[in-house]
Amino acid sequence: MSVNNGMSDHTAKSRNSKFKQKFKQQRLPAWQPILTADTVLPAFFLIGLLFVPLGVALLLFSDGVVEVQVDYTECPSVDPRHRDPLGGHFLCKDLILRPEFVPGENFCYCDIEFNVTTAMENEVFMYYGLDNYYQNHRRYVKSRDDKQLAGKQVTDVSDCSPFDRDNRSRIYAPCGAIANSFFNDSLKLYFTDSQKGKQEVPLRGDNIAWDSDKNIKFKNPPGKTLDDKEGGAFENTVKPLYWTKPVFKLGSPPNNTGYENEDLIVWMRTAAFPSFRKLYRRVDNSNLEFKKGLAAGLYTLHVDYNYPVHTFGGRKRMILSTTSFLGGKNNFLGIAYITAGCVCFLLGVVFLVIHVKFGER
């Protein structure tokens, strides 16, 4: 038995050695497709015939999405105390940068009227959009502590530097540049009815974040109470540098405050491009007045203006949008399919002409 085992081991090692030698010398069996006119031309025409109709269908679905955008970057304050010497109103973007303006104590409100020309049926979503805002910067993206956001007790928050601790060594909750720059404008929507006058559109702030984020990545730390008192979940922590209130006062307890606040969760998922939008609210279809969505007519956007973007040349937008089964309005995918299909079809025609004319050569 030992002799047979020795021979089999020697045979296996020999085969393994031969395989390694063939692999290193690139002499292993291989398959290489032979491209001929009979195989390439049908492929080009087939891709063209499939991609063009698919792209047209995607464009039709995208065109079925109703979307309204309102830029409110330079909206004037409605406060009579904010009048300029010429009788007009100062812009909120300038007022919030004044030294005497203290966030949380002073407020700048503005109203913008706009028309919805096409009724927005079924579910309607409200987004806020930011332009020229680079959330994809490497240092910005890394400036967070996922263990802290998951509700674990942490003492080392060096990844959040320089927004890790205050001058009394208390940990910011939450820490990091992403959380510190949390979007804090408040948006409300009003509909002007010809008979009932101006009425507020009911908006809901639940179910706006990803389920995986809500259920796994973001949890409040354990504690007797949801505050920063002794024994509380946020004991020995302090609100971020540029926040006006602590994290446990963001929303209504117990399910939408602290690290589990959905506005915070949405903001913490950084965008890939400098112009982006994030889901802010959903129109409450349980209200009888807006059960079918938003009717065409005159609307007013009321903004509690707090978030500065003028210093880096940014812009702020409010977007109302319906959706299709593909999501929001996006023409890029349809145009890409049509372009790729047309290019493939054109190349097929060119190669067919070349094959017919010069194939015998």
Side-chain angles (χ1 to χ4, degrees), residues 133-313:
Y133 194 115
Y134 289 83
Q135 271 198 320
N136 57 356
H137 191 283
R138 183 180 63 85
R139 291 188 63 187
Y140 183 89
V141 171
K142 292 179 63 178
S143 185
R144 61 187 293 163
D145 193 302
D146 289 319
K147 290 183 179 179
Q148 182 194 47
L149 296 171
K152 300 177 181 178
Q153 296 294 337
V154 293
T155 55
D156 181 14
V157 288
S158 57
D159 287 342
C160 295
S161 180
F163 302 102
D164 50 351
R165 299 174 183 270
D166 67 354
N167 52 12
R168 294 168 57 185
S169 295
R170 294 177 298 179
I171 296 176
Y172 289 126
C175 68
I178 307 174
N180 188 64
S181 58
F182 180 43
F183 183 82
N184 61 347
D185 282 357
S186 295
L187 309 176
K188 292 183 178 180
L189 191 63
Y190 295 88
F191 173 59
T192 303
D193 189 277
S194 56
Q195 298 178 347
K196 299 180 181 180
K198 184 178 288 188
Q199 52 184 328
E200 185 175 353
V201 177
L203 301 173
R204 301 188 60 168
D206 59 331
N207 295 325
I208 60 174
W210 290 21
D211 288 337
S212 59
D213 290 345
K214 290 192 297 181
N215 300 327
I216 300 174
K217 294 184 178 181
F218 291 82
K219 294 292 181 182
N220 287 322
K224 297 179 182 179
T225 54
L226 204 62
D227 53 32
D228 57 354
K229 298 178 181 178
E230 185 176 355
F234 296 95
E235 183 182 5
N236 298 324
T237 64
V238 64
K239 69 178 180 64
L241 186 62
Y242 293 119
W243 284 29
T244 58
K245 54 186 175 183
V247 67
F248 53 84
K249 291 185 179 180
L250 279 184
S252 54
N255 298 323
N256 194 32
T257 190
Y259 298 150
E260 297 176 11
N261 177 261
E262 294 200 38
D263 287 320
L264 175 64
I265 295 174
V266 170
W267 178 257
M268 294 299 292
R269 182 168 284 277
T270 53
F273 299 101
S275 293
F276 59 86
R277 64 177 64 179
K278 292 180 182 285
L279 185 56
Y280 180 70
R281 292 293 181 267
R282 301 180 298 117
V283 173
D284 188 359
N285 295 113
S286 63
N287 188 290
L288 293 178
E289 296 287 340
F290 301 93
K291 186 176 182 179
K292 297 182 180 180
L294 298 180
L298 180 64
Y299 288 83
T300 302
L301 174 65
H302 178 77
V303 182
D304 181 0
Y305 202 109
N306 298 297
Y307 203 72
V309 296
H310 182 63
T311 52
F312 57 86

Side-chain angles (χ1 to χ4, degrees), residues 50-66:
L50 288 177
F51 276 31
V52 171
L54 183 58
V56 172
L58 291 174
L59 279 181
L60 291 176
F61 281 118
S62 179
D63 289 339
V65 174
V66 182

Side-chain angles (χ1 to χ4, degrees), residues 15-179:
R15 289 176 180 174
N16 191 29
S17 177
K18 290 180 179 179
F19 175 81
K20 288 183 178 179
Q21 185 177 5
K22 289 182 179 180
F23 178 77
K24 291 178 180 179
Q25 297 299 323
Q26 298 184 10
R27 293 189 300 175
L28 289 174
W31 176 83
Q32 182 178 0
I34 299 175
L35 302 178
T36 63
D38 294 336
T39 57
V40 173
L41 290 177
F44 274 115
F45 286 119
L46 183 61
I47 292 173
L49 292 174
L50 288 177
F51 276 31
V52 171
L54 183 58
V56 172
L58 291 174
L59 279 181
L60 291 176
F61 281 118
S62 179
D63 289 339
V65 174
V66 182
E67 184 177 287
V68 178
Q69 297 196 30
V70 178
D71 189 310
Y72 66 91
T73 310
E74 298 177 348
C75 64
S77 171
V78 296
D79 193 327
R81 296 173 298 177
H82 295 158
R83 288 186 176 274
D84 60 24
L86 300 178
H89 287 266
F90 287 110
L91 301 181
C92 282
K93 70 179 181 67
D94 298 324
L95 290 171
I96 63 174
L97 296 178
R98 290 184 175 182
E100 64 270 18
F101 188 91
V102 180
E105 298 179 8
N106 305 105
F107 303 93
C108 187
Y109 302 105
C110 60
D111 292 334
I112 299 178
E113 291 187 344
F114 63 96
N115 281 298
V116 174
T117 57
T118 305
M120 308 180 76
E121 299 178 350
N122 301 321
E123 283 193 298
V124 182
F125 299 90
M126 176 187 281
Y127 303 82
Y128 60 85
L130 295 173
D131 295 329
N132 201 36
Y133 194 115
Y134 289 83
Q135 271 198 320
N136 57 356
H137 191 283
R138 183 180 63 85
R139 291 188 63 187
Y140 183 89
V141 171
K142 292 179 63 178
S143 185
R144 61 187 293 163
D145 193 302
D146 289 319
K147 290 183 179 179
Q148 182 194 47
L149 296 171
K152 300 177 181 178
Q153 296 294 337
V154 293
T155 55
D156 181 14
V157 288
S158 57
D159 287 342
C160 295
S161 180
F163 302 102
D164 50 351
R165 299 174 183 270
D166 67 354
N167 52 12
R168 294 168 57 185
S169 295
R170 294 177 298 179
I171 296 176
Y172 289 126
C175 68
I178 307 174

